[in-house]
Amino acid sequence: MKKITLFALASAMFLAPAAVNAQETVYVEDPAQGYLQSSFADNWFIDAEGGVGVMLSKFDSKADFGDRIGAKANLGFGKWFSPVIGVRAQADLTQNKGVTAASQSGINNAFRTAVGVVDYPVEIVRKGYFPQRFLNLGFKGDVMFNITNLFCGYKPNRFYNATVYAGAGVSWMFEREVTKRDGNSSFQYNGKRYRYLQDRRNMGLRAGLLNEFRLSKHFGALLDLRWETNQKFVDGIGYQGWFHNAGVLLGLRYNFGKKVGYGAPVVPVCPKYKYTDAEGDALVKSLENANKKIADLEGQLRKCLKDLDDCHKPGPIDDGGDVAPAEGPLATIYYQIGRSEIAGVQKDVLNAVAGVMANEDSNYVLTGWADNYTGNDKINTKLRKDRVAGVKKALVAKGIADSRLDTQINDGNLTNFGAKCASLDRAVTIVRAK
């Protein structure tokens, strides 16, 4: 037991620096290893946007710029599949304002009015041109590419992200109502009411730059710069050309789902030390002091081992009488400092002792010991009593009769090898009763 205790102390001195360094190793996400793909339940969002757009059809340049500005709004949802690629679907509403030519009166053109041929429009913008106003309500789908993450790398807390997108969809036209004036062939707009034009479905394309400003983990502000191209009509009277709309929208995005953002593989990061010359000299001196302590410990270990060997050498035999040498203990159970629990290999020793007792009829004396080099009399007395009581209880539990076990304590030292070998005095001895 003495050898085991001293070896453990020496090992602790060697391993302590390594243990300290091990505690300094940290584990972090390493984006250089790539990013983990999210599950289907992750990285969904909802967008709500509103703004204005300018209609750009064939004759709109003939009208004042302010008369061509109409409202725009959309509501949609989407998902990011990676830090770069995502998709979005939106319900889209656009108010288009512009002018058309009076010379087109022979064409059933809803860009002019909702009633067909009109020879005398009510409101003339300039000679030969009159207003056109209508709504487009439809659905659009986009594919999105986050170019900030693509070229600058993914950062979950980046304030600004630029996303380009392109998409397509379908919309239906609602034109302002007109009514005939005073029973003649001229017409007037009926307030601000709009009506759906049957067979007026427009196919469209769009592209844009979506600027997102991070407000929190879940919210972002949007600035959407958009260009849209739409067919005039694809049903009913056939294809009638294209018209365009350039818009600016402001909006808000809410990110939701099981998880928002992307994680990278976790890797260990070992600390890197850089020392000045003075710090290096201090480390060298510290190492020299440690080597001296190790050498001193080795000397103490050799001395204790020598003392232990000497105590086990047989003493001189007295040839003048018939008295045999005193019988040594059947076993000794050792303890850690300040403890009374039977631990480690001592449990195996106690099991072996119980096996011997079970095959004998002898009675036994159990003596509790504690070293007198540490603690005080009150503490050491309690340790002696607790240790010997614990051994007796363990032996009774293994089937040894209580009547065969006599317990006592001894306030001396078991070995008297000195304070450096005090661990050998923390014990319970088991001796056959005479």
Side-chain angles (χ1 to χ4, degrees):
M1 180 61 187
K2 179 179 178 182
K3 295 180 180 179
I4 294 174
T5 302
L6 293 174
F7 177 75
L9 181 60
S11 299
M13 291 188 65
F14 284 107
L15 295 178
V20 171
N21 287 338
Q23 293 174 358
E24 296 177 355
T25 301
V26 296
Y27 293 84
V28 299
E29 292 185 347
D30 183 9
Q33 306 293 326
Y35 284 91
L36 304 176
Q37 293 297 318
S38 62
S39 69
F40 185 77
D42 298 338
N43 295 304
W44 289 87
F45 61 85
I46 296 175
D47 285 347
E49 297 178 313
V52 296
V54 177
M55 186 173 175
L56 303 168
S57 61
K58 185 175 181 180
F59 302 107
D60 292 333
S61 62
K62 303 298 181 180
D64 293 336
F65 183 81
D67 294 334
R68 298 160 56 191
I69 297 176
K72 297 176 70 68
N74 48 249
L75 177 66
F77 70 96
K79 172 178 171 55
W80 289 102
F81 295 100
S82 75
V84 175
I85 299 176
V87 295
R88 176 177 65 175
Q90 287 186 329
D92 181 77
L93 175 66
T94 300
Q95 181 186 45
N96 296 282
K97 293 181 180 181
V99 298
T100 188
S103 61
Q104 303 293 313
S105 62
I107 300 177
N108 184 10
N109 188 344
F111 278 71
R112 194 177 136 195
T113 72
V115 296
V117 178
V118 176
D119 294 325
Y120 303 100
V122 174
E123 182 183 357
I124 299 296
V125 177
R126 287 189 177 93
K127 184 177 180 180
Y129 299 96
F130 60 89
Q132 58 177 347
R133 297 181 180 90
F134 59 95
L135 298 178
N136 274 74
L137 176 62
F139 300 94
K140 303 289 175 61
D142 299 315
V143 178
M144 304 181 299
F145 299 90
N146 188 315
I147 57 177
T148 308
N149 287 339
L150 177 63
F151 293 108
C152 301
Y154 170 69
K155 292 183 179 180
N157 297 323
R158 178 182 284 124
F159 174 70
Y160 171 75
N161 280 280
T163 299
V164 295
Y165 63 89
V170 60
S171 60
W172 289 265
M173 179 183 291
F174 293 78
E175 189 181 40
R176 287 180 64 181
E177 288 186 352
V178 294
T179 57
K180 186 174 289 189
R181 174 183 293 175
D182 300 330
N184 58 31
S185 59
S186 67
F187 294 82
Q188 64 182 1
Y189 286 111
N190 186 8
K192 295 184 178 180
R193 296 173 57 187
Y194 285 81
R195 69 172 184 173
Y196 170 62
L197 298 181
Q198 186 176 2
D199 296 332
R200 296 296 189 265
R201 188 181 74 229
N202 297 334
M203 305 301 293
L205 304 173
R206 70 179 183 179
L209 173 64
L210 182 63
N211 304 273
E212 181 178 1
F213 303 89
R214 186 179 187 272
L215 303 179
S216 68
K217 179 179 180 180
H218 292 284
F219 287 95
L222 304 177
L223 171 61
D224 195 347
L225 308 178
R226 180 180 299 170
W227 177 273
E228 296 181 90
T229 298
N230 295 273
Q231 291 175 293
K232 289 185 178 180
F233 307 120
V234 295
D235 292 337
I237 63 173
Y239 173 74
Q240 297 289 334
W242 296 85
F243 69 93
H244 314 288
N245 190 290
V248 178
L249 300 96
L250 299 176
L252 188 66
R253 170 171 290 176
Y254 175 67
N255 300 293
F256 68 98
K258 186 177 180 181
K259 178 182 178 182
V260 175
Y262 300 86
V266 176
V267 298
V269 177
C270 298
K272 295 181 180 179
Y273 296 103
K274 295 182 180 180
Y275 299 103
T276 64
D277 291 342
E279 290 172 335
D281 293 341
L283 288 173
V284 171
K285 185 174 181 180
S286 176
L287 180 60
E288 292 175 351
N289 292 334
N291 288 334
K292 291 179 180 179
K293 292 179 179 179
I294 292 172
D296 180 64
L297 182 61
E298 290 176 342
Q300 296 177 34
L301 178 61
R302 285 192 293 270
K303 183 177 183 302
C304 288
L305 291 175
K306 181 177 181 302
D307 293 341
L308 184 62
D309 290 339
D310 291 342
C311 78
H312 287 294
K313 292 180 180 179
I317 298 176
D318 185 1
D319 295 333
D322 297 331
V323 179
E327 183 179 4
L330 175 62
T332 303
I333 308 299
Y334 292 97
Y335 295 83
Q336 297 179 8
I337 184 171
R339 306 301 295 267
S340 60
E341 299 87 359
I342 303 170
V345 70
Q346 305 307 317
K347 294 181 179 180
D348 296 332
V349 174
L350 197 61
N351 289 335
V353 171
V356 172
M357 290 180 174
N359 295 317
E360 294 182 349
D361 295 330
S362 303
N363 294 331
Y364 301 89
V365 177
L366 314 181
T367 304
W369 302 82
D371 73 89
N372 289 313
Y373 307 105
T374 58
N376 54 46
D377 291 341
K378 182 178 179 180
I379 293 174
N380 290 335
T381 299
K382 185 177 184 305
L383 284 172
R384 294 179 185 110
K385 291 179 178 180
D386 290 345
R387 288 168 179 172
V388 72
V391 171
K392 181 177 181 178
K393 180 178 178 181
L395 290 172
V396 171
K398 296 180 183 300
I400 308 304
D402 179 276
S403 60
R404 297 175 58 194
L405 304 174
D406 183 24
T407 61
Q408 63 182 28
I409 64 171
N410 192 312
D411 58 3
N413 289 317
L414 177 60
T415 63
N416 286 321
F417 288 158
K420 293 182 179 180
C421 298
S423 60
L424 299 179
D425 295 324
R426 304 165 192 143
V428 171
T429 55
I430 304 173
V431 178
R432 292 184 179 88
K434 297 181 179 180

